[in-house]
Amino acid sequence: MSKKSIDETYAEESLLCPIRYTIDVVGGKWKLPIICMLASGMPTRYSSIKRKLKDVTNMMLSQSLKELEASGIVHREQYNEVPPRVEYTLTDKGKSIIPPLLKLAEWGAGHMKEDPACGAFCDTCQSTN
Amino acid sequence: MSKKSIDETYAEESLLCPIRYTIDVVGGKWKLPIICMLASGMPTRYSSIKRKLKDVTNMMLSQSLKELEASGIVHREQYNEVPPRVEYTLTDKGKSIIPPLLKLAEWGAGHMKEDPACGAFCDTCQSTN
DNA sequence: CAGGATCCTGTTGGATACTG
DNA sequence: CAGTATCCAACAGGATCCTG
């Protein structure tokens, strides 16, 4: 980054695209929980992800995983066994998105309590408990 | 933040809520462009915002501004003149969200070029040119 | 000038059932 | 086990017209 002030930097519309791109990559209902699960570094099976994300359907899960794979966030490793086994891990790109997300979490944690509408977000979180 | 590794920290599901909260606050089609405009620090009139965000309707703009105001991101100052004048500025909370967003922009800028679907995001950005 | 009301459409996410 | 196919509901976003 240059020595321009943060406001000047942000005021350049060219920064909108990258932000939108990033939010799109992790957007949707299930991608963030999936990244969260895989962040431990453990290769995780499809069925294991499905178990932890209690209310996700096969439809939504496979679609989210496919999109994350297309974005280069997760790696899909298929073992041709019977029964079939597929394990998912974060790629290097996937791991690299965690620090930015932590910045969002920090900001959110510092401000959501003072927001009356805060409660709405903790419902979805419980699906990963 | 504690001394736990970044992966362990992120793996705690409790961080999902703050991230979702933050994304929700700036989510939607117009909130990010609006924040971007106001980031200069200049109090900006409704009609001026509308002019710059070329394709926004009154409906969408007033709704986005109202939600941003409800989230404590923007301040609305109404002057009882004829014709009416309303100016919007970022609150301190609003300004404080810019550094986290810059982290997202940094990550996005570093990765979107290598992504074939990148072009899709620059269409929306042109509306703020 | 700065919005609100109403109606409409496209996309996102979901339910159910089925398969290599 | 790890998905697909098909159909459907809910909601975000938009078009058009109206007003203090």
Side-chain angles (χ1 to χ4, degrees):
Chain A
M1 289 270 163
S2 68
K3 336 177 200 48
K4 283 181 290 189
S5 82
I6 213 162
D7 282 358
E8 282 172 339
T9 305
Y10 190 67
E12 293 174 19
E13 70 285 336
S14 60
L15 280 175
L16 259 178
C17 311
I19 298 177
R20 279 190 187 287
Y21 170 75
T22 308
I23 291 184
D24 187 83
V25 163
V26 303
K29 189 166 179 181
W30 301 106
K31 291 181 191 171
L32 225 29
I34 290 170
I35 293 173
C36 175
M37 278 197 58
L38 298 180
S40 70
M42 281 283 295
T44 310
R45 299 185 61 162
Y46 180 93
S47 54
S48 176
I49 300 177
K50 183 164 162 52
R51 243 191 317 280
K52 289 220 176 188
L53 273 45
K54 280 202 283 284
D55 290 335
V56 74
T57 62
N58 282 324
M59 179 70 170
M60 286 295 100
L61 180 54
S62 66
Q63 181 181 309
S64 302
L65 285 168
K66 208 182 297 177
E67 289 175 16
L68 285 171
E69 193 190 358
S71 309
I73 301 295
V74 308
H75 171 71
R76 179 179 187 278
E77 189 69 38
Q78 176 169 354
Y79 302 90
N80 289 316
E81 310 170 345
V82 180
R85 178 162 63 104
V86 179
E87 289 183 345
Y88 293 90
T89 49
L90 286 189
T91 61
D92 286 342
K93 182 176 177 182
K95 291 173 190 164
S96 73
I97 204 178
I98 293 180
L101 290 179
L102 282 176
K103 287 293 173 190
L104 289 193
E106 222 171 294
W107 186 90
H111 289 283
M112 66 188 294
K113 300 123 188 174
E114 69 200 34
D115 197 318
C118 151
F121 297 91
C122 292
D123 299 340
T124 50
C125 292
Q126 293 178 358
S127 59
T128 66
N129 283 347
Chain B
M1 286 272 165
S2 69
K3 337 177 198 45
K4 282 181 290 189
S5 83
I6 216 161
D7 282 357
E8 283 173 338
T9 304
Y10 190 67
E12 293 174 18
E13 71 285 333
S14 59
L15 280 175
L16 259 178
C17 311
I19 298 176
R20 279 191 187 286
Y21 170 75
T22 307
I23 291 183
D24 187 81
V25 162
V26 303
K29 188 167 182 180
W30 301 106
K31 291 182 191 172
L32 226 28
I34 291 170
I35 294 173
C36 175
M37 279 199 56
L38 299 180
S40 71
M42 281 282 295
T44 310
R45 297 185 62 163
Y46 181 92
S47 54
S48 176
I49 300 177
K50 183 164 162 54
R51 243 190 317 278
K52 290 221 176 189
L53 271 47
K54 281 203 282 285
D55 290 334
V56 75
T57 62
N58 285 322
M59 178 73 172
M60 285 295 101
L61 180 53
S62 66
Q63 182 181 308
S64 302
L65 285 169
K66 207 184 297 179
E67 287 174 18
L68 285 172
E69 192 189 358
S71 309
I73 300 296
V74 308
H75 171 71
R76 180 180 186 277
E77 189 71 37
Q78 177 170 352
Y79 301 90
N80 289 318
E81 310 167 348
V82 182
R85 178 163 63 103
V86 179
E87 290 183 346
Y88 292 90
T89 49
L90 285 189
T91 62
D92 286 342
K93 182 177 177 182
K95 292 172 189 165
S96 73
I97 204 177
I98 292 180
L101 290 178
L102 282 176
K103 287 292 173 191
L104 290 193
E106 222 170 294
W107 186 90
H111 291 283
M112 66 185 295
K113 302 121 187 177
E114 68 201 34
D115 197 317
C118 150
F121 297 92
C122 292
D123 299 340
T124 52
C125 290
Q126 292 178 1
S127 60
T128 66
N129 282 345

